C-alpha cells in the first residue's frame, strides 16, 4: 500500500514533511481520573479541557497541520469504534487495533513496521492521545525540528521545559548541542526523582521532562530495537508483512516500554537526540492537574468547572467541580475540594489527595464492580 | 362528634389518659436539610434516623401508647396526601389541613378549638412532627406527669435537660416546685442565647431547653389566648363550630408563635408549669446534628451513613453521607464533610458549616428554581 502522499489521484498533503507520520498510541485507563475516566471510556475519549474536543481529537487537530491525514492510531479493540466515531477523517486502514495491551514498544513498534512497509523513508512521531499542549504553534515548530534531526538517523525525543520540580515524570539530561539546530545529544534519561533531586535538576538548567514523545525514522527505530530485542523487532516486522497473523503473533510479543527497550540503551550509545520544547504540556494525570488547566469559572474565584457552570452553586468554597450528570452541585464551606458527579458514581476528594482516587478504583476492582470501573 | 374514647361500639383506647389527645403540627420546610428535605417533601416525611419510619411516623409511634388513636395532625394542604399515606391509622377527620401557613398559634389553637368542641375536658399535648427522642419510655413518663399537671389548669411545657450550651434553642428557667410531682413553675422563657450566656445557664442547673412541647387543657389554652389575642381565639372557636368557614376565616387569623402569643405572657402571670425531661431530644436541625444521631457505619470509623452504606467507598475520610440516589459515593482524603446525594441535587459541605446550606436554598429561591427547593 502506498502512502497517502504518493497515492495516485489523491492530493498531496499540505505539509512540509512528505514522509512524516503521526503515531498516536491511544491507551491507558486513566484510573486517577475516575469516575470520569473508565476502562470502557478512558481518558483520551473525554473533553478534559472544556474545548469541545476530546483529548484524542485535540491530538489529531494539533498534528494534522504537520502530517495531513498521515496519522496512525493504535488502540485496544474495545475502543476501535469510539476512535472511529471521534476521528471520522482517519482512514480505516490507519487504525491499528491491539488484541491486548502489550506496552508502548509493541504499540509504537507495530506502527513503525506498518509505516516502514508503506514507505521506507517514513519518519514517525509518536504522541500520546491524552496529553494537553498549551502553545500549539510552538509545539509544531519543535516537532518540525525533531523531524529534521531524525532524518540523520537519530532517535529524537522532545524535552519539555519543566515549570516546577515535578516528581511524577522522568527527566532527560541535555548533552552537547548537535549541529546548528535546537537539538542536543541526550546525556541520560533519569527515572521519576524525589522532590529534592527534582529541585537539583531544575537548578542545573540542563534537565527536561520526558513526555514520551519520540520522532524517528521507522526503519531506525526497528533497527535499534533489533539490536536489543531482536525477537520483538522481527515479530513486529512479520506482523506488518502479513497482518492476518495478528492473533497468532501478538500474544508472543515482549511486553516492554519503549524507553527501556530502545531509548535508554540507544542514549548510552549516543544515538538519541533531544529537542527542547517550551510550549506548555500536561498529561492531565489527575483532577488536581485538570483543575490547574482550567480558568476559574465566571464569578467563582478559586473554582474551576469542567462542564456546565450554571449547574454549580457556591457558598464560601473553592475547588474543582465536574458536573457530568445534569444534577445541581452545591458546595458549602469546603476548600480545595474535588467533586466529580457522574450518572452512576460520585467522587468527593481533597485536591491534595488527587492521586489517591486510585484507592477507590482498586477497591471496586477487588469487589468486581466492573459496572463502575 | 364524640371522642373515640367514648364512641359507641369502639374499644376504649388502652391509655391512662382518657381525655388526652396528641396534636402534631406537621410543618416547616427543613431548609437546613436541603437537598433531602424540600418544600414539597419536608423533613417530617423523611426517615432521618435510619429506623425505617419517617419522623412523622416515629412521632405517631411514640405518642399512640399514651393516646390511642386520639391524635390530631395539623399540616399544609400540600402534604395532606403524604400524611394520609404515612399514617393509615389516622382517622380522616383528625387531619386538619391549613390553607396557608399561619404560624404555630393558629395551628395548635385550631386543634385546641376542635378538641374543645368534641370534649370539654380534653387535654392536648402538642409535639412537633420532626423531632427525635432518645428514651421513649422516659418521654412518655414525662408527658404523663405533664398531663397530670395540666389537669389543674396550668399550661405545661416540657423542659429538656441540656447536654451542651446550645445557642440554637430557647431556654426555660425553673421556678419553685409545684406540689409533690416533678412539675415546677416557670420562672421565665428566654430567647436563644449566645454561647457565653448558654454556659452560664447550664452552670446554674435551673435552665432547660424549650422544645416547644406544650400540654394543656384545650379550654385553658383558648381562654389564655382570649386574654391577649381575643380575635384569634374567637376566630379559632368560630372555625371549630363551623368548619365550612375555613377559607373565609383562616386568612384573617393573626400570625404568631404560641410562645409569644400565650406561653410568655402566661408565665409572667404564674400560669405556666414545666416538667423537666431527661430523655434525649433533638430537632435534627441540620446535617451535623443528623450525623450526631447516627452510629458510625460498620467498618467506617468517623463516618455516619443515612441510607445504604454499601454504596459508600472511603479512603481516609470522615463525615456524614446520605446516599439517596442509588449511586456510588466515594470519599478520598476529606475530613468532617457532609455529602448528600439525591437524584436531582448534590450537596458537599463542611460539617461545621451545616447551618449555611440555607444560603444555597436562598440562591435557588431567588432564581425561582422551584424544581429544586
Amino acid at each position: 500500500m502506498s502512502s497517502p502522499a504518493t497515492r495516485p489521484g489523491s492530493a498531496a498533503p499540505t505539509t512540509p514533511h512528505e514522509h512524516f507520520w503521526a503515531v498516536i498510541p491511544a491507551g491507558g485507563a486513566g484510573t486517577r481520573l475516575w469516575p470520569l475516566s473508565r476502562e470502557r471510556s478512558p481518558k483520551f475519549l473525554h473533553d478534559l479541557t472544556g474545548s469541545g474536543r476530546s483529548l484524542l481529537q485535540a491530538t489529531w487537530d494539533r498534528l494534522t497541520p504537520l502530517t495531513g491525514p498521515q496519522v496512525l492510531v493504535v488502540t485496544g479493540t474495545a475502543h476501535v469504534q469510539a476512535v472511529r466515531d471521534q476521528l471520522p477523517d482517519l482512514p480505516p486502514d490507519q487504525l491499528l487495533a491491539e488484541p491486548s495491551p502489550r506496552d508502548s514498544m509493541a504499540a509504537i513498534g507495530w506502527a513503525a513496521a506498518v509505516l516502514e512497509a508503506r514507505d521506507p523513508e517514513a519518519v514517525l512521531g509518536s504522541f500520546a492521545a491524552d496529553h494537553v499542549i498549551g502553545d500549539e504553534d510552538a509545539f509544531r515548530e519543535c516537532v518540525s525540528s525533531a523531524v529534521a534531526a531524525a532524518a540523520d538517523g537519530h532517535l529524537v525525543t522532545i524535552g519539555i521545559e519543566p515549570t516546577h520540580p515535578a516528581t511524577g515524570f522522568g527527566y532527560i539530561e541535555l548533552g552537547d548541542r548537535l549541529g546548528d539546530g535546537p537539538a542536543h545529544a541526550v546525556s541520560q534519561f533519569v527515572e521519576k526523582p524525589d522532590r529534592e533531586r527534582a529541585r537539583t535538576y531544575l537548578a542545573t538548567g540542563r534537565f527536561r521532562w520526558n513526555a514520551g514523545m519520540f520522532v524517528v525514522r521507522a526503519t531506525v527505530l526497528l533497527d535499534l530495537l533489533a539490536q536489543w530485542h531482536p525477537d520483538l523487532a522481527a515479530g513486529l516486522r512479520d506482523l506488518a508483512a502479513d497482518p492476518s497473523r495478528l492473533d497468532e503473533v501478538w500474544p508472543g510479543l515482549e511486553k516492554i516500554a519503549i524507553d527501556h527497550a530502545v531509548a535508554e540503551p540507544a542514549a548510552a550509545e549516543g544515538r538519541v537526540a533531544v529537542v527542547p520544547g517550551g510550549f506548555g504540556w500536561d498529561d492531565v494525570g489527575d483532577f488536581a492537574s485538570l483543575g490547574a488547566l482550567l480558568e476559574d469559572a465566571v464569578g467563582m474565584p478559586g473554582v474551576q468547572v469542567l462542564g456546565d457552570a450554571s449547574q454549580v452553586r457556591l457558598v464560601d468554597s473553592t475547588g474543582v467541580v465536574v458536573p457530568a450528570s445534569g444534577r445541581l452541585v452545591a458546595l458549602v464551606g469546603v476548600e480545595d475540594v474535588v467533586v466529580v458527579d457522574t450518572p452512576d458514581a460520585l467522587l468527593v476528594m481533597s485536591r491534595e489527595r488527587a492521586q489517591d482516587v486510585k484507592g477507590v478504583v482498586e477497591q471496586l476492582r477487588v469487589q468486581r464492580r466492573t459496572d463502575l470501573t
Side-chain angles (χ1 to χ4, degrees), chain A residues 1 6 8 14 27 39 124 248 261 279-280 320 340:
Chain A
M1 187 184 312
T6 57
T14 57
E39 283 181 13
L124 70 89
E248 167 206 342
F279 39 75
V320 183
V340 184

Side-chain angles (χ1 to χ4, degrees), chain A residues 5 13 20 25 59 79 81 85 90 105 112 133 139 164 195 212-213 221 233 240 256 260-261 295 333:
Chain A
F20 181 51
T59 304
H79 307 309
Q81 191 55 52
D85 292 344
L90 179 72
M105 189 64 247
I133 298 291
F139 167 77
H164 62 278
R195 182 72 56 181
M213 300 175 180
L221 180 65
I256 188 170
H260 301 315
E295 304 280 328

Side-chain angles (χ1 to χ4, degrees), chain A residues 123-201:
Chain A
V123 174
L124 70 89
S126 172
F127 307 95
D130 56 1
H131 292 177
V132 170
I133 298 291
D135 181 344
E136 303 212 334
D137 287 331
F139 167 77
R140 281 185 289 264
E141 194 176 331
C142 182
V143 172
S144 290
S145 301
V147 173
D152 69 4
H154 278 96
L155 171 61
V156 187
T157 184
I158 291 176
I160 312 287
E161 191 171 323
T163 56
H164 62 278
T167 58
F169 310 132
Y171 284 71
I172 303 166
E173 187 178 9
L174 303 189
D176 294 337
R177 196 147 180 180
L178 299 173
D180 296 333
H184 290 243
V186 166
S187 177
Q188 62 168 333
F189 287 94
V190 290
E191 302 276 335
K192 297 174 186 178
D194 61 22
R195 182 72 56 181
E196 194 44 52
R197 186 174 291 267
R199 284 209 186 87
T200 311
Y201 290 167

